[in-house]
Amino acid sequence: MSQLSEAALSREATAKPQSCVIEQIHQHVSIRRYKPDPIPREWVEAIVAAGQRAATSSNLQAYSVVAVTDAQTRTTLAHLCGEQAHIAQAPVFLAWCADLARLERACELRGYKQVTRYVENFLVAVVDVSLAMQNATLAAESFGLGTCYIGAIRNNPREVIRLLRLPRLVFPIAGMTLGFPDAAPKRHPRLPLRAVLHWECYDRTGEDEHLLAYDRTMAETGIYDGRQVAFPGKPTDMPDYGWLEHSARRVAQPMRIELRQVLREQGFELE
Ligand SMILES: Cc1cc2nc3c(=O)[nH]c(=O)nc-3n(C[C@H](O)[C@H](O)[C@H](O)COP(=O)(O)O)c2cc1C
């Protein structure tokens, strides 16, 4: 039984965003079409600086960002990231990287040897960069800019590492397109809150019901029209293609299977 006070209960009953931050968060949508207008350099700096204000494990700040504006480099990146045209179209591409190279230097300067062989150190850097890039996303959206994360930066990691001249102990985790939106796509509804929020302990009661309801909601949005994930032996024009089919196809295929090897080559041993 919930221990909420009367005041809290009445607040809950009329629950709606209480600040412009929450309102802005709920307006988020990934943008995949951009105007050619450039972004002032100071805006990019303000966006990355906002990223830097995110909490960071032990203040280690184990990440770096490479901001790419050069059109030729963006075209090459679009090709390396699965021919995603929005990478070449957006005036700025941010490559968000896990970075233990700076800490390696800190160790050298102070006479220590950094331990980089365990998964934990890599996870610290991945969490740090994830928090920073989401802060940056919100900052960009507050300028009226659109963004789209690019996980496909890990499609051809060796080539991206070479292109952006990433040193040992620096690894690209996600890209981000940045530009003035030239489209107003539909927002993707999210799973019902009760499917992801568990009070006191993990509780799967009603899980299938939530999933099936969400599956229908997503199918009805039309978001998957013409964008069904290919899967061997399955049609790409399935009428009841919703979140379940989309997500199942996405996770039932091996992806980027050489990542561990490339991480090792970059100095992340992942033991
Ligand atoms: C880590 C990460 C990687 C992503 N990679 C890509 C990508 O390579 N290409 C793309 O078009 N969208 C990419 N996305 C965007 C997701 O497809 C999108 O966030 C999701 O479908 C929900 O849509 P919304 O952001 O509009 O709410 C990525 C998102 C995240 C968080």
Side-chain angles (χ1 to χ4, degrees):
M1 189 62 190
S2 156
Q3 299 289 309
L4 289 176
S5 68
E6 214 168 288
L9 275 170
S10 77
R11 261 205 313 278
E12 199 183 44
T14 58
K16 55 179 172 224
Q18 296 295 311
S19 78
C20 56
V21 175
I22 293 179
E23 275 171 29
Q24 189 205 306
I25 287 171
H26 281 273
Q27 291 312 311
H28 161 78
V29 58
S30 293
I31 298 295
R32 297 184 179 86
R33 278 183 53 187
Y34 296 93
K35 296 180 176 150
D37 316 29
I39 303 173
R41 203 178 175 95
E42 308 80 64
W43 287 25
V44 177
E45 287 169 353
I47 287 163
V48 175
Q52 284 190 277
R53 285 313 314 165
T56 146
S57 188
S58 304
N59 202 28
L60 291 176
Q61 305 168 69
Y63 56 89
S64 286
V65 194
V66 180
V68 179
T69 58
D70 179 73
Q72 182 56 51
T73 311
R74 283 187 286 108
T75 301
T76 306
L77 283 164
H79 171 64
L80 292 175
C81 299
E83 307 299 346
Q84 298 198 54
H86 45 291
I87 299 174
Q89 198 181 46
V92 176
F93 180 85
L94 299 179
W96 292 91
C97 303
D99 185 346
L100 297 182
R102 196 186 301 116
L103 291 164
E104 185 88 342
R105 184 70 192 130
C107 283
E108 283 165 11
L109 289 170
R110 300 296 299 185
Y112 292 86
K113 175 95 190 73
Q114 184 176 204
V115 179
T116 53
R117 60 194 280 203
Y118 300 110
V119 171
E120 171 62 12
N121 313 59
F122 179 63
L123 277 184
V124 161
V126 172
V127 173
D128 268 15
V129 72
S130 303
L131 298 177
M133 60 193 175
Q134 183 55 23
N135 252 22
T137 294
L138 293 175
E141 290 173 347
S142 79
F143 276 112
L145 295 171
T147 68
C148 185
Y149 283 105
I150 304 294
I153 200 170
R154 303 186 303 272
N155 282 9
N156 293 289
R158 283 192 192 90
E159 288 77 0
V160 170
I161 287 166
R162 238 190 326 269
L163 182 70
L164 303 181
R165 295 192 218 140
L166 304 183
R168 186 177 166 275
L169 293 176
V170 178
F171 193 85
I173 300 300
M176 183 185 284
T177 54
L178 206 56
F180 292 93
D182 196 21
K186 289 181 195 149
R187 277 192 322 156
H188 285 39
R190 295 296 196 247
L191 285 160
L193 182 66
R194 57 194 181 281
V196 299
L197 174 60
H198 305 261
W199 287 100
E200 318 310 342
C201 61
Y202 201 100
D203 177 9
R204 303 189 78 159
T205 312
E207 184 177 61
D208 286 7
E209 192 189 309
H210 305 324
L211 292 182
L212 291 166
Y214 182 60
D215 189 51
R216 278 192 298 277
T217 304
M218 283 298 283
E220 282 161 16
T221 58
I223 281 164
Y224 299 126
D225 294 354
R227 294 182 54 197
Q228 297 194 5
V229 168
F231 195 91
K234 296 281 187 180
T236 48
D237 56 353
M238 200 177 256
D240 64 340
Y241 187 102
W243 183 83
L244 289 172
E245 184 72 24
H246 182 81
S247 305
R249 287 188 185 189
R250 174 70 176 71
V251 299
Q253 311 196 57
M255 280 186 75
R256 301 169 187 150
I257 53 174
E258 91 286 2
L259 273 183
R260 191 169 180 185
Q261 179 53 36
V262 187
L263 277 161
R264 285 200 171 137
E265 289 164 18
Q266 276 302 92
F268 298 93
E269 289 158 69
L270 301 185
E271 277 182 24

